Amino acid sequence: MNHLDVVRLLGLDAPAPPEGAGYGRVVPEDFELLVQALPQGVIAASVLLGGSDVPVRSLEDFTRDTALRIADMEDALESREQELWLPLYPRPHGMVPWGRTANDGVLLWDTTAADTADWTTVLTDTDFQFWLDLPFSASEFVARAVMGSAEETPALETYQEYESGSFWKVADDKRATAMTLANRDIGAVEEIVTRLRSIGAPGVRGHAQELLDRAGERFGALPEDYRAVMREFPGGAVAGVRVFRASAAPGAPALRRLDDNGLFLQWGEAGGRAFGWLTAKGGPEEWRVAYAEPDGSALTCLEDQTFATFLRRRLRGDNALF
C-alpha cells in the first residue's frame, strides 16, 4: 500500500507532488506525500500524523517537537532497567517518531534500513511498556487503521470534529480500561490483553492473528495464554522482554526450537537470555517458562510462571527471575 491508497480510502483527491521537491531523502517519501495530501486532523479516530513541513530537510528539524517525548522514553526505560532491541534517535539507526495515536501512543520508524522506503513502524503505548514491531510503512499502517476501524467511525475528522464526537468514545474506552485494570483479582491474560487493546490501533489485531495462525500450522498446539496474548500482539517488547513474532517474517526472529532435540521452544529474550518453554512434560497448558544463559551453558525452569504471569510480573516492576 502507498499514500495513494490512503487518500482513496479517505475519499480525497491526491495532489501531484511538485517536481524536484526532494521527497524521501531524509524520511520515507510515502509519509511526506501523505502529509502533503491530507488536511490536519485525526484519521479513523486513532492516528495523528506529525511533521507538517515537507519535504523534510533534516532529522534534527523533524524531531525537534518530539524531543521531550523521546527523552521521556529514555527515562522510563532507564528507570525500569529495560532495553529495547533498537535504539532511539539521535543514536545511530535510532527510532524516529512520525505520529501518535488518539490514546497518546507514539508511532516511530525503525530506521535500520539504509533506504528510507524500507523503514517500518514501531508503536508504543503511553507508558512505553509495550512496543509493537510492525512490518508496515506509515501509509500501510494508516490504511490498516482506516480499514480496521468500526463502521460508524469517521475516516478523517478535523480536530474540532474529533473533540466534539469521537473523542468522547475514546475517553469512555479509557475509563473502561482503567476500571478493568483496577480490579484487584484481574487475571494475567486479561490484564495484558486489556492493556494491548487500550493502545487503540485498528488493524494491528488482524495482523497478529495472521501470524498466530501460521505459527499454529507449524508448531501445533500452543499454551492458551500465549495464544490469547499473541492474538493482540504482533511481536516487539513487553516490559523490556523482547517477544518474538509468532511466525517467521522478514527482519525479526520468530517462535523457534532452540535445541537439537526440540524440547526448548523459544518465544523471546531479555538481558541476553533466551526465554521459552520446556515442552517435555505434558501438554501445552502444563508448560512453564524456562530460560537459557547467553552462552547456552544452563537451562533453568521457572516452575511457577506461565507466559502471561511472567510478562505481568515484569509489567508490575519485578525483573527478578526467582
Side-chain angles (χ1 to χ4, degrees):
M1 293 184 184
N2 57 37
H3 78 286
L4 292 175
D5 296 309
V6 177
V7 172
R8 293 188 189 103
L9 283 170
L10 298 178
L12 302 173
D13 295 323
E19 292 185 9
Y23 290 118
R25 295 177 181 175
V26 179
V27 301
E29 180 183 50
D30 78 296
F31 171 82
E32 294 180 298
L33 294 175
L34 269 183
V35 170
Q36 184 200 49
L38 303 184
Q40 288 192 344
V42 184
I43 303 167
S46 60
V47 183
L48 297 88
L49 302 180
S52 58
D53 295 327
V54 295
V56 176
R57 301 302 184 187
S58 73
L59 282 181
E60 182 180 3
D61 290 342
F62 184 74
T63 59
R64 184 167 287 115
D65 290 343
T66 56
L68 292 178
R69 194 68 162 157
I70 296 173
D72 288 344
M73 296 179 200
E74 294 275 18
D75 291 344
L77 294 167
E78 183 177 354
S79 67
R80 296 169 183 153
E81 299 181 344
Q82 297 172 1
E83 293 185 2
L84 299 176
W85 74 101
L86 295 169
L88 290 164
Y89 182 83
R91 284 186 280 172
H93 302 296
M95 290 186 285
V96 173
W98 60 262
R100 62 186 177 91
T101 72
N103 278 356
D104 297 323
V106 183
L107 289 156
L108 309 100
W109 280 302
D110 173 349
T111 67
T112 305
D115 189 340
T116 60
D118 296 325
W119 288 5
T120 54
T121 294
V122 176
L123 168 61
T124 185
D125 66 321
T126 185
D127 293 327
F128 317 126
Q129 287 276 54
F130 292 89
W131 297 76
L132 283 60
D133 183 16
L134 302 163
F136 308 145
S137 66
S139 289
E140 183 166 1
F141 181 88
V142 172
R144 283 175 175 262
V146 175
M147 292 186 294
S149 61
E151 289 185 7
E152 66 274 12
T153 301
L156 179 66
E157 300 170 280
T158 65
Y159 294 126
Q160 293 75 19
E161 290 171 335
Y162 169 74
E163 290 174 350
S164 65
S166 301
F167 169 83
W168 300 106
K169 177 62 166 62
V170 172
D172 289 342
D173 289 344
K174 288 182 178 180
R175 280 191 288 272
T177 296
M179 291 182 65
T180 300
L181 296 177
N183 177 7
R184 300 178 65 178
D185 298 322
I186 190 173
V189 171
E190 185 180 4
E191 180 173 338
I192 295 171
V193 168
T194 297
R195 293 184 64 164
L196 282 168
R197 290 178 178 173
S198 73
I199 297 174
V204 169
R205 190 173 194 269
H207 172 60
Q209 182 69 61
E210 292 168 8
L211 294 174
L212 185 62
D213 289 344
R214 293 204 295 268
E217 293 172 2
R218 180 180 178 189
F219 295 102
L222 294 166
E224 176 56 35
D225 66 330
Y226 174 82
R227 288 187 285 134
V229 171
M230 298 304 285
R231 288 188 192 104
E232 315 283 339
F233 187 67
V238 178
V241 179
R242 187 176 188 189
V243 179
F244 296 165
R245 292 174 180 169
S247 62
L255 191 68
R256 62 192 179 190
R257 300 283 183 187
L258 191 63
D259 57 334
D260 294 336
N261 56 19
L263 298 180
F264 184 69
L265 184 55
Q266 185 184 7
W267 52 255
E269 62 186 15
R273 296 182 174 93
F275 282 83
W277 301 284
L278 288 178
T279 63
K281 296 181 180 178
E285 299 315 307
E286 297 178 59
W287 296 352
R288 294 296 179 264
V289 171
Y291 66 90
E293 294 296 336
D295 60 2
S297 61
L299 186 62
T300 305
C301 184
L302 305 179
E303 297 287 354
D304 61 337
Q305 297 297 319
T306 66
F307 175 78
T309 62
F310 177 74
L311 292 182
R312 179 175 66 171
R313 190 171 69 170
R314 294 275 305 199
L315 285 168
R316 293 181 174 183
D318 185 356
N319 295 339
L321 293 177
F322 298 99

